Structures are given as C-alpha cells and as structure tokens.
Amino acid sequence: MLAPDPPRFRAVRQLYRIVSNSNSPEARGRRLLRRWLSERQLAQFDAFNFFEVIGCQTARRYRIYYATAANVEEVDKGGHPLMRYCFVPKGNLVPGDVMLAQKIALETDELAALELANKFPPSPQRLV
C-alpha cells in the first residue's frame, strides 16, 4: 500500500477537523459512524480514510472507503483488492451514514448485501 502524500494528508486532516467541529449533516454522519467503529477500525479510518470489516458469513475482508457509492472493496490477506462493490441504502445520505449502513450489512447479513450489490473489477490503484 502506498503511503499518503504528507501535504495532502495534512490538508485532508484539517478539512476533517473543520467538518467534525460543525453540525452539518456530513459532520453528524461522520460522528455517528465513528461511534460505531471498533478501536481498530477507528485507527484505520483516522489514518487512511477507510476501515475494514469481516463478513459475518464468509469471513472475507472488506475495506469501506469514505464515499457514497462503489466504495467497498473485498481484499485478500495482503490487503490487495479482489472485487469492488456498490450497494447503498435508499435516500440521499451523507458518506458517514452510507458507510455505517454498509458496515452493519456486511457484519450482520453479508450474503444478502452482496446479492444486491453491483460488482466491478477492483480499481488499478485506489487512492488512500
């Protein structure tokens, strides 16, 4: 995995602080998501803007990126992407709310979520 560009990473962190201190829908969604993440997932999210979950039925690893669509990747043990998925809840939701729904779906009814998902080949080089 490529290390994030330090100036870009600092800019994203600064933007995150501004958003997290506000009461916008995006900030509220992000705060709710953070409360549902495990300690490990929270550390991943803070460092890379994604977190990993383990599917409840297959024990496959999925990486959920901060976005609202086509943001879930199945990864192998080395963290290399195998498949990309797009499944989102109904409604015009902010990224944090979408990601929380995806996390809950994969951890509680993985196969049903994947059955509904659109599937794509993984991105050649996903920007972290």
Side-chain angles (χ1 to χ4, degrees):
M1 180 182 327
L2 297 174
D5 177 44
R8 182 173 160 211
F9 187 70
R10 282 193 295 277
V12 168
R13 255 202 182 197
Q14 182 178 7
L15 177 62
Y16 166 73
R17 284 188 195 109
I18 291 167
V19 169
S20 69
N21 291 330
S22 73
N23 199 30
S24 68
E26 185 158 349
R28 290 192 313 267
R30 195 171 185 111
R31 281 193 301 268
L32 179 63
L33 171 65
R34 292 176 63 80
R35 285 195 294 263
W36 276 74
L37 296 178
S38 70
E39 193 174 304
R40 181 171 185 252
Q41 289 170 331
L42 187 56
Q44 287 177 323
F45 188 57
D46 286 343
F48 305 112
N49 225 23
F50 69 74
F51 59 89
E52 293 181 355
V53 300
I54 304 297
C56 64
Q57 292 155 314
T58 66
R60 293 179 185 149
R61 281 184 17 193
Y62 300 93
R63 191 171 284 163
I64 302 176
Y65 290 88
Y66 192 77
T68 57
N71 63 318
V72 177
E73 285 185 338
E74 180 183 344
V75 295
D76 65 15
K77 291 180 183 182
H80 302 97
L82 299 171
M83 182 63 69
R84 188 166 43 128
Y85 298 96
C86 181
F87 61 97
V88 297
K90 289 184 181 180
N92 187 18
L93 301 174
V94 297
D97 292 341
V98 171
M99 294 172 70
L100 179 54
Q102 291 166 331
K103 168 187 167 53
I104 291 169
L106 290 170
E107 291 177 340
T108 61
D109 199 356
E110 172 191 13
L111 297 179
L114 296 179
E115 186 176 310
L116 296 172
N118 291 314
K119 297 161 186 65
F120 308 93
S123 301
Q125 192 66 15
R126 181 110 190 181
L127 294 176
V128 175

